[in-house]
Amino acid sequence: MIIVLKSDATQAQIDHIVERITKLGLKPLVSKGVERTIIGVIGPEDILRVTPLEVFPGVENVMPVLTPYKLAARDFKTEGTTIKLGGNLVIGARKVIVMAGPCAIENLDNLYEIAKAVKKAGATVLRGGAFKPRTSPYSFQGLGEEGLKYLSQVGKELGLATVTEVMDTRDIALVERYADILQIGARNMQNFNLLKEVGLTKKPILLKRGLSSTIKDLLMSAEYVLSGGNLNLMLCERGIRTFEDSTRNTLDISAVPVIKQLSHLPVIIDPSHAAGKWNLVSPLAKAGVAAGCDGLIIEVHSHPEEALSDGAQSLLPEKFSELMQELRILAKAVGREL
Ligand code: PEP
Ligand code: MN
């Protein structure tokens, strides 16, 4: 159920409604938009049917949300969600945000070298994994806290925001201490306990689509995060498993307009994990921007042949810089900037 408030609703009126909903044993989630405030109500809707919320002062309209995802639905919030990071960095606004860096943080010097290059090329968020979800238990698993320290140190020094994956509920507090955005990897998209826990944090969340998950599955997973109270959520299309084996995964480019129609959440494209090969990353990144994504997350490595993870799909800094220049022109053509 969604309660749309009048544009002149006062804070006292909002507090009053929130208090009444809570007393009914339901969970209110207040979303303050530019135009007006909306309150999402989670819980058994039949309780609300016998409570005439329409007559509460400040309420304009009360409507049911017919989709199984409620808070993620476009109905809940007609204007797109914007996520404010430090400085004047906003995800979900006109500017397409580029997150770039190595797949895994390997050592301080290498991270610094890559970070400097991606910053120079125009990236504003540094990516790098410290906890790596590897297919084989014998592959490099990441540096853990040591890696997080490097990420935070380099990010601060260069004025880059940071994003890194959290794989386990036991590591959330640790990762939160070091990173600006918490990434939930494709393999954990339906780790519901993890989703519930990051929903209780205040940090922006980047939720990646599962390898074999539908867009509806992704939106239901988003609902877990949102219903915990964390509305700073962005969704990431990173390629799905199909019968096509020329690429590591198949980038579902239609996910961008589909999610944009169904949801208000920002959409990020990861061309690197979709492609699996560095020479396909650039066209897929461009397709993402052309389709209307709000951001890109791209793997870059200064020595891809020596990378401890995903070297084959990592762009050299020069290639990344070229791509950024091309993307700037493209973004303009679709009414965005980069
Ligand atoms: C990654 O970003 O390095 C990663 C492991 O991504 P995904 O979860 O999409 O495979
Ligand atoms: Mn990777």
Side-chain angles (χ1 to χ4, degrees):
M1 199 74 92
I2 287 171
I3 305 169
V4 182
L5 300 185
K6 290 186 175 140
S7 51
D8 59 357
T10 64
Q11 190 55 48
Q13 289 171 337
I14 298 172
D15 293 343
H16 179 230
I17 298 163
V18 165
E19 193 190 315
R20 285 301 296 266
I21 293 167
T22 313
K23 272 205 183 127
L24 288 167
L26 300 165
K27 189 171 173 184
L29 274 157
V30 179
S31 166
K32 287 196 172 164
V34 184
E35 298 274 313
R36 57 185 74 228
T37 298
I38 285 171
I39 304 175
V41 183
I42 307 293
E45 296 199 346
D46 38 334
I47 298 178
L48 280 181
R49 277 187 208 111
V50 294
T51 311
L53 286 168
E54 286 89 348
V55 300
F56 276 59
V59 172
E60 175 152 306
N61 194 9
V62 180
M63 43 183 204
V65 182
L66 301 174
T67 49
Y69 42 90
K70 311 285 178 193
L71 303 173
R74 204 27 111 169
D75 286 347
F76 175 58
K77 212 161 161 268
T78 41
E79 65 211 60
T81 282
T82 51
I83 301 171
K84 290 178 189 68
L85 290 168
N88 43 20
L89 197 54
V90 183
I91 298 173
R94 189 179 144 85
K95 191 172 161 70
V96 177
I97 299 301
V98 180
M99 313 180 194
C103 177
I105 299 157
E106 299 171 4
N107 58 64
L108 182 59
D109 290 348
N110 183 250
L111 182 69
Y112 191 76
E113 183 188 5
I114 299 168
K116 237 174 38 187
V118 300
K119 160 133 188 161
K120 191 162 172 236
T124 46
V125 181
L126 176 63
R127 68 146 288 151
F131 295 101
K132 294 304 305 173
R134 305 305 300 277
T135 302
S136 166
Y138 308 120
S139 302
F140 177 59
Q141 303 286 307
L143 294 181
E145 186 170 5
E146 188 190 350
L148 295 174
K149 281 184 181 158
Y150 298 158
L151 184 70
S152 153
Q153 185 184 330
V154 172
K156 284 204 176 91
E157 211 168 308
L158 297 177
L160 290 163
T162 55
V163 56
T164 196
E165 178 162 355
V166 58
M167 286 171 58
D168 193 310
T169 51
R170 290 169 296 188
D171 297 325
I172 293 174
L174 178 76
V175 177
E176 236 190 317
R177 230 179 293 139
Y178 291 103
D180 299 309
I181 304 171
L182 309 185
Q183 174 176 325
I184 303 295
R187 289 153 194 83
N188 270 322
M189 189 204 85
Q190 288 190 315
N191 180 339
F192 300 118
N193 287 332
L194 185 59
L195 298 177
K196 279 184 204 167
E197 288 293 321
V198 295
L200 299 176
T201 71
K202 301 237 178 312
K203 285 273 159 98
I205 307 296
L206 185 150
L207 175 62
K208 297 186 100 177
R209 181 178 179 183
L211 277 71
S212 300
S213 299
T214 63
I215 289 171
K216 196 165 156 199
D217 292 335
L218 174 61
L219 293 171
M220 292 312 297
S221 289
E223 201 67 18
Y224 271 92
V225 178
L226 298 170
S227 61
N230 190 345
L231 302 179
N232 290 320
L233 175 64
M234 62 199 104
L235 305 178
C236 177
E237 161 60 37
R238 46 78 73 206
I240 50 173
R241 283 263 161 92
T242 68
F243 53 81
E244 181 53 65
D245 60 2
S246 330
T247 47
R248 181 175 177 184
N249 293 288
T250 300
L251 182 69
D252 179 9
I253 200 70
S254 58
V256 181
V258 170
I259 296 172
K260 288 269 163 200
Q261 279 172 25
L262 299 177
S263 177
H264 51 86
L265 296 170
V267 181
I268 310 297
I269 284 284
D270 175 347
S272 308
H273 290 86
K277 294 177 192 147
W278 71 268
N279 57 3
L280 296 174
V281 168
S282 173
L284 296 187
K286 289 176 193 161
V289 172
C293 74
D294 299 294
L296 295 163
I297 181 161
I298 300 177
E299 288 185 340
V300 176
H301 201 289
S302 48
H303 304 280
E305 67 291 350
E306 289 165 19
L308 296 179
S309 173
D310 286 347
Q313 67 197 31
S314 298
L315 288 182
L316 280 164
E318 309 83 91
K319 293 282 174 208
F320 175 70
S321 177
E322 270 169 37
L323 170 61
M324 290 292 280
Q325 286 169 44
E326 291 167 2
L327 287 174
R328 257 175 223 122
I329 299 164
L330 181 64
K332 237 184 229 163
V334 292
R336 305 289 290 263
E337 56 184 276
L338 189 135

